Amino acid sequence: MTATNGSADDAQALLYAEGERLARRLTQTLGGGEADVARAHLLGLSLAVNLVNALVPTVEQVSRHAGRPLHAHVTGDDRGRAVVETVTPDGERHTRLPVDDLLDSALYRGGRLHPTVHAHLAGAMQGSEHHAARALAACLKSAPVLDALRLHLTALLKTA
């Protein structure tokens, strides 16, 4: 994952900022104690980084296999927010997906956490770090998250 107008560190910083924003939303939804804030912070960062790090290489692999290779990377938009951008082999911008849109569609329905996602993340807020990691993995593999990733992957691969 790299940024076109910066470094991999810039892209990582953009993803962390998205994770921070998500963590604040999760804290409001899933808990309010001091320990809950720390756990929600970890979940927000993990969700943002893992979802994008799953999408970027998948775009490249699927597009290459389809015979129309695209390069995908994380860059910033006009507001300094993280965006997954696809670029043709000759360097022409193809499509862009704001990471906050990806997170929102993967995790939320009508402004509320999808019930399946809520159940997994509520479980991740409790117990040991090992339990939280398993619950986070289950959330990432859940149908609403995978369905959203599939829809965004299709949109990113559409020909101009």
Side-chain angles (χ1 to χ4, degrees):
M1 162 182 58
T2 58
T4 52
N5 297 326
S7 69
D9 289 342
D10 293 337
Q12 200 67 27
L14 289 167
L15 278 183
Y16 283 173
E18 293 300 334
E20 297 277 344
R21 280 186 276 281
L22 177 58
R24 286 191 291 276
R25 286 179 77 183
L26 293 175
T27 298
Q28 293 172 350
T29 304
L30 299 172
E34 195 171 314
D36 292 341
V37 171
R39 185 65 62 100
H41 183 260
L42 178 63
L43 292 175
L45 289 176
S46 296
L47 286 165
V49 169
N50 282 297
L51 285 171
V52 171
N53 284 342
L55 183 64
V56 167
T58 304
V59 167
E60 293 185 354
Q61 182 179 13
V62 171
S63 67
R64 189 172 45 252
H65 184 65
R68 290 187 291 255
L70 294 170
H71 171 68
H73 58 258
V74 174
T75 190
D77 66 8
D78 297 344
R79 303 174 300 150
R81 303 285 295 260
V83 175
V84 174
E85 180 178 72
T86 59
V87 180
T88 64
D90 61 357
E92 183 181 331
R93 183 185 295 164
H94 184 258
T95 53
R96 294 173 63 108
L97 168 64
V99 171
D100 56 350
D101 288 352
L102 170 64
L103 295 172
D104 192 61
S105 66
L107 305 173
Y108 292 86
R109 296 297 179 274
R112 301 181 74 134
L113 280 174
H114 186 285
T116 302
V117 169
H118 187 277
H120 288 303
L121 295 181
M125 294 292 288
Q126 308 298 317
S128 69
E129 286 184 25
H130 178 69
H131 176 76
R134 284 194 333 231
L136 178 63
C139 177
L140 290 167
K141 294 177 187 177
S142 69
V145 172
L146 293 177
D147 288 346
L149 282 173
R150 185 171 48 297
L151 288 172
H152 287 296
L153 177 61
T154 301
L156 286 169
L157 294 173
K158 283 190 177 176
T159 54

